[in-house]
Amino acid sequence: MSSNSQPSTATGNRRVLSGMRPTGKLHLGHYHGVLRNWIRMQEDYECFFFVADWHALTTHYDDRSVMNNHVWEMVIDWLASGVDPEKSTMFIQSHVPEHAELHLLLSMVTPLGWLERVPSFKDQQEKLREKDLATYGFLGYPLLQSADILMYRAGHVPVGEDQVPHVELTREIARRFNHFFGRSAEFDQQVMASIKQMGKKAAKRFQGLRQGFTEQGDKEALETARQLILEQQNINQSQKDLLLGYLEGRGVTLLPEPAALLTEAAKMPGLDGQKMSKSYGNTIALRDDPARVEQAVKVMPTDPARVRLTDPGDPAKCPVWQLHEVYSDDDTRLWVDKGCRNAEFGCLECKKPLIKKLLEEQEVIHERAKAYVKNPERVREVIAEGDKKARLVASETMQIVRESVGTIYQ
Ligand code: TRP
Ligand code: SF4
């Protein structure tokens, strides 16, 4: 099911979509691994971030309290980290029921084997043995994710490595959907209308370039024509997608293929030196109590060779060092390395600058969270606003989808 072809219609598409399941309090692993990336992206992209509550339900259907408790806390965690409602659209998946409709319609053309072969399907079933995951909903997990992504015609999906197969599946699904439903009788008509709308000069130039590509295989003409389309001010994004499809002879691109934006593997070490993860019980929560953070670092294990203050140690064997690598500047790291190897100070001393940095980082987060914790209504408002924007895009997409699959009757 792998493919090397580039997402041609995502070129120039500045829309980003990503989601998170509300399965627990967010911790510093989420912050350094995902959220900081979201926050960076919201400066340059049109970002949609959503609470994937239906996805959580596929594995936690027997424990609804998990979601009730976590949805709002997670949104506060996002806001506290710096996801800015003025820049990004935040919404809840189940508040946009169109996701369910698109999931259903995509399911019509999704071969069972494609879903059965997604690695997370078998992996998770084995990992979560205590749960019955031989369900229809769980098999459909990655397809629901495809619906999430395709609904917003997103060009980029920032995800961790484990999610790449899901984005890959989404591309396959988009291609298959376009193949089955992208050849409507009105296609030519829509194309011609869009070309005309570009204006006389641009239209003529576009037709010439397209001819160069389709008749002489001129790759340069193809590239120039693509650029020309992307630069047009008079036509909207769907029209651009349409014309890109026409240009490349693909028929209409109803749903553009997204690209995974691999989050640089920011491996956040936990309190025991393993990767920070809820399942290892080694986390520091994003909005942890300062006293607990301090205590947790104070009791962190260190290089076992350092029994007494006079015993030299080796940072490479110490989980505390890994945290220094994330949080400390060069000078501090030099100080640690030298002091540890020469037994110049004890481990508690070594942990002090780290505790300081952690508390400073969290103070900013606590500060931002304060207004929302005090006034939960504001969180509801952020989401209500986001839901509205998301539904607007979703209704546009569904209009195209319903028309092309033929569930609009005159
Ligand atoms: N499956 C993702 C995860 O577990 C969450 C998710 C659901 C998602 N839908 C998405 C991520 C769409 C990106 C895009 O992390
Ligand atoms: Fe770890 Fe620092 Fe102690 Fe060395 S001095 S063992 S790096 S805590």
Side-chain angles (χ1 to χ4, degrees), residues 14 27 34 42 45 48 67 88 136 144 169 225 305 348 368 371:
R14 308 295 289 168
H27 52 66
V34 183
Q42 70 183 351
Y45 293 86
F48 285 77
M67 287 200 302
S88 298
Y136 181 55
L144 180 58
L169 174 80
L348 265 183
R368 276 204 217 93

Side-chain angles (χ1 to χ4, degrees), residues 125-395:
Q125 273 185 344
E126 266 163 40
K127 224 163 135 193
L128 304 173
R129 278 259 166 92
E130 73 283 3
K131 294 202 168 131
D132 180 5
L133 292 183
T135 59
Y136 181 55
F138 188 66
L139 178 68
Y141 183 112
L143 188 64
L144 180 58
Q145 184 162 349
S146 300
D148 299 336
I149 298 168
L150 297 174
M151 184 68 84
Y152 299 91
R153 320 169 68 75
H156 310 274
V157 186
V159 283
E161 202 148 3
D162 61 318
Q163 297 291 312
V164 170
H166 295 174
V167 180
E168 201 43 57
L169 174 80
T170 305
R171 293 157 54 79
E172 299 285 332
I173 298 283
R175 221 171 292 153
R176 195 161 159 92
F177 186 89
N178 294 334
H179 171 75
F180 278 114
F181 301 118
R183 285 159 210 277
S184 72
E186 299 116 10
F187 176 56
D188 275 353
Q189 229 177 328
Q190 287 173 353
V191 165
M192 290 313 151
S194 303
I195 292 178
K196 203 164 151 209
Q197 209 174 313
M198 294 200 297
K200 241 192 193 142
K201 218 171 117 197
K204 194 160 164 224
R205 185 141 175 264
F206 173 71
Q207 292 291 30
L209 288 165
R210 180 174 181 272
Q211 220 168 14
F213 170 62
T214 50
E215 290 172 18
Q216 283 111 46
D218 182 349
K219 287 266 167 61
E220 217 164 284
L222 172 68
E223 211 28 67
T224 315
R226 269 193 195 136
Q227 281 312 318
L228 184 69
I229 294 170
L230 296 174
E231 283 160 15
Q232 294 308 306
Q233 312 271 334
N234 297 344
I235 54 176
N236 64 29
Q237 187 64 47
S238 327
Q239 288 176 303
K240 289 181 186 179
D241 289 341
L242 182 85
L243 290 184
L244 286 167
Y246 171 67
L247 173 64
E248 290 159 31
R250 270 187 285 106
V252 57
T253 299
L254 299 164
L255 301 172
E257 292 174 40
L261 252 182
L262 204 56
T263 313
E264 56 184 276
K267 194 185 133 232
M268 178 72 196
L271 289 165
D272 57 358
Q274 295 187 81
K275 182 182 157 157
M276 188 178 282
S277 158
K278 198 170 103 182
S279 50
Y280 298 144
N282 61 0
T283 62
I284 297 176
L286 195 65
R287 288 181 285 139
D288 227 327
D289 180 39
R292 197 202 86 93
V293 175
E294 182 167 357
Q295 186 55 22
V297 176
K298 276 187 175 161
V299 300
M300 267 181 80
T302 61
D303 178 357
R306 296 212 67 190
V307 182
R308 261 167 273 121
L309 219 138
T310 46
D311 297 330
D314 177 0
K317 295 182 182 144
C318 176
V320 177
W321 170 250
Q322 292 189 43
L323 282 178
H324 274 297
E325 288 200 304
V326 175
Y327 283 97
S328 299
D329 56 25
D330 289 350
D331 286 349
T332 310
R333 291 211 303 264
L334 271 174
W335 171 79
V336 170
D337 190 74
K338 187 166 158 289
C340 179
R341 291 181 196 284
N342 302 325
E344 286 166 14
F345 46 69
C347 291
L348 265 183
E349 196 60 27
C350 175
K351 290 170 174 178
K352 272 187 191 158
L354 191 56
I355 292 171
K356 183 159 173 279
K357 277 279 193 265
L358 275 162
L359 292 181
E360 276 169 11
E361 178 176 79
Q362 298 215 315
E363 200 181 308
V364 182
I365 295 174
H366 279 298
E367 195 50 45
R368 276 204 217 93
K370 229 188 211 162
Y372 296 106
V373 172
K374 221 168 39 194
N375 188 358
E377 233 3 81
R378 283 185 60 180
V379 188
R380 306 310 189 263
E381 277 164 24
V382 167
I383 288 296
E385 194 65 26
D387 288 346
K388 216 159 80 190
K389 283 195 210 153
R391 291 202 67 170
L392 199 69
V393 179
S395 70

